[in-house]
């Protein structure tokens, strides 16, 4: 049926599609393992008596293994049969405006994500799903924690196909909202071949970087105290309990890390692949990256390694969702500067001239001699540099032992705060805080003179803000 003249044809959604039949079991694997461990712990005495009886009866080991395998297979089969109603009720559907996921038998749940609110589309391969060559697709939206929509699980090829389709729909939605009159790109030209942006990080480098991170020093101190004090074990166990999860997180987010760039020049997409226990493919549009930070932990100075993090509009720090805001978990200085030149507002010449954290230039506003009383080590290493006649980039640097440098385009600064505490009033100092989108990058012009802090505040207040539609696209 043809739509009347002047009316838009009605958009019809596709039918609901089901996920893989193993999805309910894989989604509940942690709970199943927990129940199994609990049952084994509660029946430890019975199992011990059974082991003694089997030893006395002389049952062949091969038969025991065969029976154990059969019992495990039977339990898994029973669990799969019981999960079929949940699989039958789970499905997803993609329309031109949104993706919807439904699940639940007794309690039904429907979650949707509109493409004009999508921040990222990730391919996730958890460890239990990888032997079955299954993967999930996670759609992150601008709604805070818990607002993501996840399709779990599909075959790896189907998941990759769904991810590419969603990225195309999200890109089309962004193009329409940015410029409704702009012509659509021909099919096949919207996403050119990807090129390697960051080669795969060696596994040994990931391991050494995790071992040389800041918490290693605390672990060494705890170990020394545990060996030299009577209450050593009481100190060691809490230290290890806090250190091991952190170490695992750092290692998991840098394991076999690689990054690619794709898309047209004015709308490029950064593709990130990483993960040990959970392999993940993450996509970040470059126009959503607001701020870039280069940092070097103290122990990394031994090997000359650096880390690059970004602040992404509407993305936050992503600690709870498993995504990462580290676009270079560990690399040399040349890699870090190259990443900064591509993702930040500076050209390559400006990056090497103004944003080299090892050879800093004279800042536009620096800390005076009076700041030595509060920053005896960092005073000469901290300052703010405004780049260009039109001030198209702001650079904040600080730290002599652990170095940090942050870069942002003034138009991406959300708010400005002028601060002067009691010590600052005594020494004639003031700070200017640059409020950014939530994320790992935080910028502050530290310990300036009152006159310099006021002058910096006036210059940044005169910044040119992005158009409302472009600014709101990332919120």
């Amino acid at each position: 049926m043809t739509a009347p003249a002047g009316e838009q044809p009605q958009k019809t959604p596709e039918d609901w599609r089901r996920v893989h039949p193993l999805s309910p079991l894989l989604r509940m694997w942690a709970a199943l393992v927990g129940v199994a461990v609990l049952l084994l712990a509660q029946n430890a005495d019975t199992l011990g008596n059974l082991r003694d009886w089997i030893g006395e009866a002389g049952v062949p080991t091969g038969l025991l293994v065969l029976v154990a395998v059969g019992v495990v297979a039977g339990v898994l089969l029973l669990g799969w049969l019981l999960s079929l109603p949940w699989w039958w009720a789970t499905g997803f559907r993609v329309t031109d405006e949104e993706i919807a996921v439904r699940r639940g038998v007794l309690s039904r749940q429907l979650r949707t994500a509109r493409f004009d609110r999508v921040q990222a589309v990730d391919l996730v391969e958890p460890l239990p799903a990888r032997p079955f060559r299954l993967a999930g697709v996670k759609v992150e939206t601008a709604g805070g924690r818990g607002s993501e929509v996840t399709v779990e699980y599909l075959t790896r090829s189907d998941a990759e196909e769904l991810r590419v389709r969603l990225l195309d729909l999200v890109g089309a939605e962004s193009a329409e909202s940015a410029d409704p009159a702009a012509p659509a790109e021909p099919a096949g030209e919207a996403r050119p071949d990807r090129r390697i942006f960051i080669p795969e990080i060696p596994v040994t480098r990931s391991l050494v970087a995790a071992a040389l991170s800041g918490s290693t020093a605390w672990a060494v101190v705890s170990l020394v105290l545990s060996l030299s004090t009577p209450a050593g074990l009481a100190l060691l166990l809490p230290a290890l309990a806090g250190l091991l999860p952190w170490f695992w997180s750092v290692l998991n987010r840098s394991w076999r890390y690689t990054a690619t760039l794709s898309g047209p020049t004015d709308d490029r997409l950064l593709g990130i692949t990483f993960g040990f226990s959970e392999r993940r493919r993450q996509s970040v549009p470059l126009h959503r990256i607001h701020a870039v930070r280069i940092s070097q932990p103290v122990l990394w100075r031994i090997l000359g390694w650096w880390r690059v993090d970004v602040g992404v509009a509407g993305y936050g720090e992503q600690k709870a969702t498993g995504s990462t805001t580290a676009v270079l978990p560990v690399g040399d200085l040349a890699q870090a500067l190259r990443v900064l030149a591509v993702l930040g507002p500076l050209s390559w010449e400006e990056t090497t001239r103004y944003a080299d954290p090892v050879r800093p230039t004279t800042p536009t506003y620096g800390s005076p001699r009076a700041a030595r009383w509060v920053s005896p080590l960092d005073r000469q290493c901290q300052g703010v540099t405004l780049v260009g006649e039109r001030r198209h980039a702001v650079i904040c640097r600080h730290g002599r032992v652990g170095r940090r440098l942050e870069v942002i385009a003034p138009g991406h600064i959300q708010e400005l705060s002028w601060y002067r505490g009691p010590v600052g009033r005594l020494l004639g100092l003031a700070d200017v805080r640059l409020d950014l989108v939530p994320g790992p990058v935080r910028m502050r012009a530290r310990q300036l003179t009152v006159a310099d802090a006021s002058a910096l505040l006036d210059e940044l207040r005169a910044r040119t803000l992005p158009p409302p539609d472009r600014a709101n696209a990332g919120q």
Side-chain angles (χ1 to χ4, degrees), residues 364-371 417-433 445-459 461:
T364 308
Y365 300 101
S367 298
R369 285 182 56 84
S417 303
W418 190 92
Y419 174 78
R420 189 183 184 193
V423 177
R425 286 195 294 269
L426 181 63
L427 299 176
L429 304 175
D431 292 357
V432 177
R433 188 181 68 191
R446 292 170 169 80
Q447 298 155 11
L448 306 178
T449 65
V450 175
D452 285 350
S454 300
L456 174 62
L457 190 65
D458 291 338
E459 284 203 71
R461 277 178 175 171

Side-chain angles (χ1 to χ4, degrees), residues 337-359:
L337 292 178
R338 178 170 174 260
V339 170
L340 175 59
V342 173
L343 305 184
L346 301 172
S347 65
W348 173 250
E349 292 76 14
E350 292 171 336
T351 299
T352 55
R353 180 179 179 184
Y354 299 106
D356 190 329
V358 177
R359 295 183 293 272

Side-chain angles (χ1 to χ4, degrees), residues 1-11:
M1 179 177 179
T2 304
E7 294 185 7
Q8 296 290 334
Q10 185 177 3
K11 299 179 180 179

Side-chain angles (χ1 to χ4, degrees), residues 222 225-238:
S222 300
L225 291 176
S226 66
L227 297 176
S228 59
T229 61
L233 188 61
L235 295 174
L236 180 61
L237 293 181

Side-chain angles (χ1 to χ4, degrees), residues 294 304-306 331-338 356-359:
I294 298 179
W305 289 344
W306 297 80
D332 56 32
L333 181 59
Q335 283 182 308
L337 292 178
R338 178 170 174 260
D356 190 329
V358 177
R359 295 183 293 272

